[in-house]
Amino acid sequence: MTETISSAANPLVKRMRLLADRRHRRREGAFVVEGGQPVWRAIEAGWEIEALVVAPELIGGPAAEMVAEQEARGTRVARLSRELFVRLSDRDGPSGLAAIVRGSVAGLETLAVGPESLFVALHDIGNPGNLGTVVRTADAVGASGVVLVGDTTDPFAPAAVKASMGSIFAVDVVHAPDLDAFFAWVERRGVRVLATSGRAEAAHWDSDYSTPAAVLMGSEGDGLPEGALGRADARVRIPMTGTAESLNLAVATGLVLYEARRHAVASAGDPEGR
């Protein structure tokens, strides 16, 4: 009979708690994913699963069947008591399924560029929920990758993974150490850069979205530095007519990405966006 883990002193439980820390995730090259859909997307995308973590009293239906299938294929399955899983979970009403997944952020040079490529570049952003939402939006719009520039938050932080709803496993997320490295890469690869600024003259719906292109977004508090705006091929703003001074970073990114998609669809002669 398979043992059910109920002690917080268990080595696997300790490992899951340690992986909540960014330094430990970097050192170990692993992170925790929770929820049926994100775990399934990790498996479907071929990411290495170190262990599936299950609370038998909570899990059921297709998720339980998926766990049984993966266990039959040789994947390690650890079973936790309901109480312990709830204590480890960062969700209200946890589903009873999590996974320890192996992965790390690749360098910028690993990112493939094609004639229709559209990228998102995020400079010094600090909110992991925003990052996860941007990754999810990039996935939805069919973007070719997300570039993290400079000192950004960790895409494998629990809040980022949760907000991405599994899209972290479908979109290439890479890192550039600074803006110089990013602009050197776009110049070598022939990628146009559209930088966002509230002071730009052109509205985002009037801009040239010729590909390959990268939409460059600044940090939540400070936006993009003047040096980055000056090196971009174009600067765009999102018009606002109310009293709000700014938009949430993830919302702003979504607006620009979908405008880029609209332009691409129009150029292809398909008004329905198929």
Side-chain angles (χ1 to χ4, degrees), residues 123-131 151-154 218-221 249:
H123 177 246
D124 281 0
I125 72 164
N127 186 301
N130 275 340
L131 174 53
D151 185 21
T152 65
T153 189
D154 183 7
S219 65
E220 292 91 345
L249 171 66

Side-chain angles (χ1 to χ4, degrees), residues 223-243:
L224 287 169
E226 287 298 327
L229 292 171
R231 296 169 75 176
D233 296 284
R235 288 156 293 283
V236 302
R237 62 181 171 82
I238 300 172
M240 295 186 292
T241 57
T243 60

Side-chain angles (χ1 to χ4, degrees), residues 9 18 36-37 50 64 73 82 101 139 158 178 186 218 224 257-258:
L18 284 171
Q37 179 184 355
E50 183 177 306
R73 294 181 178 182
R82 177 193 183 105
V101 180
D139 184 15
D178 50 39
V186 297
L224 287 169
L257 284 179
Y258 269 94

Side-chain angles (χ1 to χ4, degrees), residues 170-246:
V171 177
D172 290 328
V173 179
V174 303
H175 181 252
D178 50 39
L179 283 166
D180 286 340
F182 170 71
F183 279 104
W185 176 79
V186 297
E187 184 176 349
R188 287 195 304 273
R189 305 306 295 272
V191 177
R192 297 181 64 254
V193 177
L194 289 83
T196 57
S197 169
R199 299 184 300 277
E201 293 184 6
H204 73 295
W205 50 59
D206 293 328
S207 300
D208 178 6
Y209 288 95
S210 301
T211 54
V215 174
L216 178 60
M217 309 292 295
S219 65
E220 292 91 345
D222 300 326
L224 287 169
E226 287 298 327
L229 292 171
R231 296 169 75 176
D233 296 284
R235 288 156 293 283
V236 302
R237 62 181 171 82
I238 300 172
M240 295 186 292
T241 57
T243 60
E245 295 183 356
S246 63

Side-chain angles (χ1 to χ4, degrees), residues 55 58 81-91 94:
L58 295 173
S81 68
R82 177 193 183 105
E83 293 75 16
L84 183 55
F85 192 98
V86 170
R87 285 166 57 190
L88 290 172
S89 175
D90 64 351
R91 302 188 177 197

